[in-house]
């Protein structure tokens, strides 16, 4: 039988989940760094992310240097929308949100992390000034090997996440200027592309 979760870790996980359960909407600026294990290089991006508990919706706007959205990803209802400004394309796909990992659904106040993951204190030196947790899937997952969270010790919101791919590559997200319960609605998840945008329907 697996060892019980450390009481300090369990307290942090419970408080973190409670924070998102009590959050109606969430928005923040993000900085993303993807480190490729095989090629020994990194790519960086920045933008804005928004979550809305109603309808289990989320939106990621990747911004160019001028602050304009060049890529937009939206999950709303049972659809995924991906807009590429330079390619002038908007693709629409279907998704079963019931099958998403708790590592995503907990942001909507759904799913329990401890049901899917063994959770321990993380010892990474690059996760400092907060509560660092290491999550290992109880059942091997082809999408990732591990997930790390850095939690704000005051609010218990997630400051940073690191997703370790099966090949050892790492996708790191840092969140700043976090705002909650500001009152935006489903209109924030609509994409209004230019008239000459090609729409690819893959949800039929």
């Amino acid at each position: 039988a697996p060892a019980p979760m450390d009481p300090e870790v369990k307290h942090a996980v419970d408080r973190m989940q409670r924070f998102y359960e009590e959050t109606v909407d969430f928005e923040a600026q993000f900085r993303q760094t993807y480190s490729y294990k095989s090629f020994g290089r990194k790519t960086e991006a920045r933008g804005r992310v928004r979550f809305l508990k109603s309808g289990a919706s989320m939106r990621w706007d990747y911004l160019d240097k001028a602050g304009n959205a060049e890529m937009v990803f939206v999950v709303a209802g049972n659809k995924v929308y991906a807009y590429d400004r330079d390619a002038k394309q908007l693709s629409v796909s279907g998704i079963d949100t019931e099958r998403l990992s708790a590592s995503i659904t907990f942001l909507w106040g759904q799913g329990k992390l401890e049901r899917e993951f063994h959770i321990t204190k993380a010892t990474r030196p690059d996760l400092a000034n907060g509560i660092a947790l290491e999550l290992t899937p109880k059942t091997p997952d082809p999408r990732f090997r591990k997930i790390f969270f850095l939690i704000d010790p005051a609010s218990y919101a997630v400051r940073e996440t690191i997703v370790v791919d099966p090949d050892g590559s790492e996708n790191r997200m840092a969140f700043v200027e976090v705002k909650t319960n500001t009152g935006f609605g489903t209109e924030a998840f609509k994409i209004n592309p230019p008239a000459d945008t090609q729409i690819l329907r893959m949800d039929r």
Side-chain angles (χ1 to χ4, degrees):
M5 194 185 307
D6 179 274
E8 185 178 347
V9 171
K10 180 167 178 53
H11 174 76
V13 172
D14 289 346
R15 290 292 302 273
M16 176 180 62
Q17 297 238 192
R18 188 186 311 162
F19 171 85
Y20 290 99
E21 288 168 0
E22 295 174 352
T23 297
V24 176
D25 59 60
F26 170 99
E27 62 181 307
Q29 303 297 314
F30 71 83
R31 297 189 302 273
Q32 180 182 30
T33 304
Y34 194 93
S35 302
Y36 294 86
K37 180 72 172 181
S38 300
F39 304 108
R41 64 183 181 88
K42 296 181 180 181
T43 60
E44 296 183 348
R46 67 184 183 93
R48 181 169 69 159
V49 59
R50 280 170 282 186
F51 296 96
L52 181 66
K53 182 179 293 185
S54 176
S57 303
M58 65 178 173
R59 175 174 180 146
W60 299 79
D61 287 81
Y62 283 80
L63 307 178
D64 59 20
K65 292 181 179 179
N68 300 311
E70 56 184 353
M71 296 286 293
V72 180
F73 298 94
V74 171
V75 176
N78 62 350
K79 305 287 185 183
V80 177
Y81 304 85
Y83 172 62
D84 186 327
R85 181 193 65 191
D86 294 339
K88 297 183 178 181
Q89 286 186 342
L90 171 64
S91 64
V92 186
S93 306
I95 187 174
D96 182 0
T97 55
E98 296 294 326
R99 301 183 66 179
L100 288 174
S101 167
S103 61
I104 294 293
T105 59
F106 88 95
L107 295 168
W108 296 315
Q110 304 170 2
K112 296 296 183 182
L113 290 167
E114 60 187 282
R115 293 176 185 170
E116 294 187 22
F117 297 93
H118 296 294
I119 308 174
T120 59
K121 294 180 181 179
T123 57
R124 293 180 58 132
D126 59 343
L127 290 175
N129 301 318
I131 303 169
L133 301 178
E134 179 176 332
L135 290 76
T136 305
K138 292 182 178 180
T139 302
D141 193 310
R143 296 168 295 182
F144 49 79
R145 185 191 301 172
K146 287 182 183 291
I147 299 176
F148 294 88
F149 286 159
L150 182 65
I151 302 171
D152 187 311
S155 67
Y156 288 90
V158 175
R159 283 180 177 170
E160 293 188 47
T161 66
I162 301 174
V163 178
V164 182
D165 291 347
D167 70 348
S169 299
E170 294 189 351
N171 186 10
R172 184 170 194 148
M173 289 279 189
F175 303 99
V176 296
E177 299 180 30
V178 174
K179 301 176 183 178
T180 60
N181 303 329
T182 60
F184 63 79
T186 55
E187 71 283 349
F189 301 90
K190 294 179 181 179
I191 300 176
N192 299 305
D196 61 348
T197 300
Q198 179 186 19
I199 300 177
L200 307 176
R201 299 302 300 251
M202 296 177 283
D203 58 331
R204 296 173 177 174

